[in-house]
Amino acid sequence: HASVLVPLVMRDEGLRLLLTRRTAHLKDHAGQISFPGGRAETHDSDAVATALRETEEEVGLAREHVEVIGAMPHYTTITSFVVTPVVALVRPGFHLALDSFEVAEAFEVPLAFLMDPANHHRHVFEHEGERRQFLSMPWEGEGADGSLRRYFIWGATAAMLRNLYNFLRD
């Protein structure tokens, strides 16, 4: 079991989603775009506690800036992780301190971009004779260093964002 935080930063120009890019040397999901979060530990009281602890460990987002508004349905990855996405509003004024072993970068994407179905791309491919598919939401915007960057948001992160889109749409 694992939990991720879906941190919606309340900016003057609208809600923005805080995402991370994992470091390139990691064994699992190296270099991929993800929500902050990770595996549940025995001392975590619930999925929310896991998401908040992991977020604080990975990016240094202090809990005093975070208001949890709910959890989405579990998402099971192809590697059999059962992930609980925990949605939260984040008040500006926070300072991030990235765990440089796990997180190469933290950046924000406008929620409006991610919730526009025109930006949801479905990819179909064949692997070992089996037809597979995945979603992506490629985004180009300002990176943490202020330069223009391209981010390929895909896989479980994109799928959970699509679930958020479907939830908000209904």
Side-chain angles (χ1 to χ4, degrees), residues 125-160:
F125 66 101
E126 196 159 310
H127 178 70
E128 296 179 358
E130 217 177 291
R131 183 183 162 157
R132 299 199 176 197
Q133 59 181 330
F134 67 93
L135 284 171
S136 75
M137 297 170 185
W139 181 70
E140 186 174 289
E142 188 176 304
D145 62 1
S147 65
L148 189 62
R149 304 274 317 261
R150 288 191 176 130
Y151 297 95
F152 192 68
I153 304 164
W154 70 287
T157 301
M160 285 184 263

Side-chain angles (χ1 to χ4, degrees), residues 19-128:
L19 291 169
T20 67
R21 183 173 54 83
R22 296 171 55 81
T23 53
H25 72 272
L26 292 174
K27 179 183 169 202
D28 295 320
H29 314 293
Q32 291 184 11
I33 306 304
S34 64
F35 297 109
R39 290 181 189 197
E41 294 184 6
T42 54
H43 62 272
D44 292 334
S45 58
D46 56 18
V48 171
T50 298
L52 292 173
R53 176 186 53 75
E54 282 284 337
T55 298
E56 203 161 17
E57 289 174 4
E58 287 182 9
V59 298
L61 180 59
R63 295 174 193 215
E64 66 216 31
H65 291 278
V66 179
E67 179 186 342
V68 173
I69 56 176
M72 293 174 28
H74 300 302
Y75 178 83
T76 304
T77 68
I78 66 168
T79 54
S80 298
F81 268 96
V82 178
V83 181
T84 302
V86 176
V87 182
L89 294 173
V90 179
R91 288 180 299 287
F94 58 87
H95 297 283
L96 298 180
L98 306 184
D99 174 347
S100 60
F101 182 80
E102 286 189 54
V103 180
E105 179 182 10
F107 60 96
E108 295 179 15
V109 179
L111 184 63
F113 173 87
L114 296 167
M115 296 298 103
D116 182 345
N119 299 319
H120 301 179
H121 305 279
R122 187 168 304 281
H123 305 264
V124 179
F125 66 101
E126 196 159 310
H127 178 70
E128 296 179 358

Side-chain angles (χ1 to χ4, degrees), residues 153-167:
I153 304 164
W154 70 287
T157 301
M160 285 184 263
L161 285 169
R162 180 66 182 203
N163 288 346
L164 179 62
Y165 162 77
N166 287 327
F167 177 78

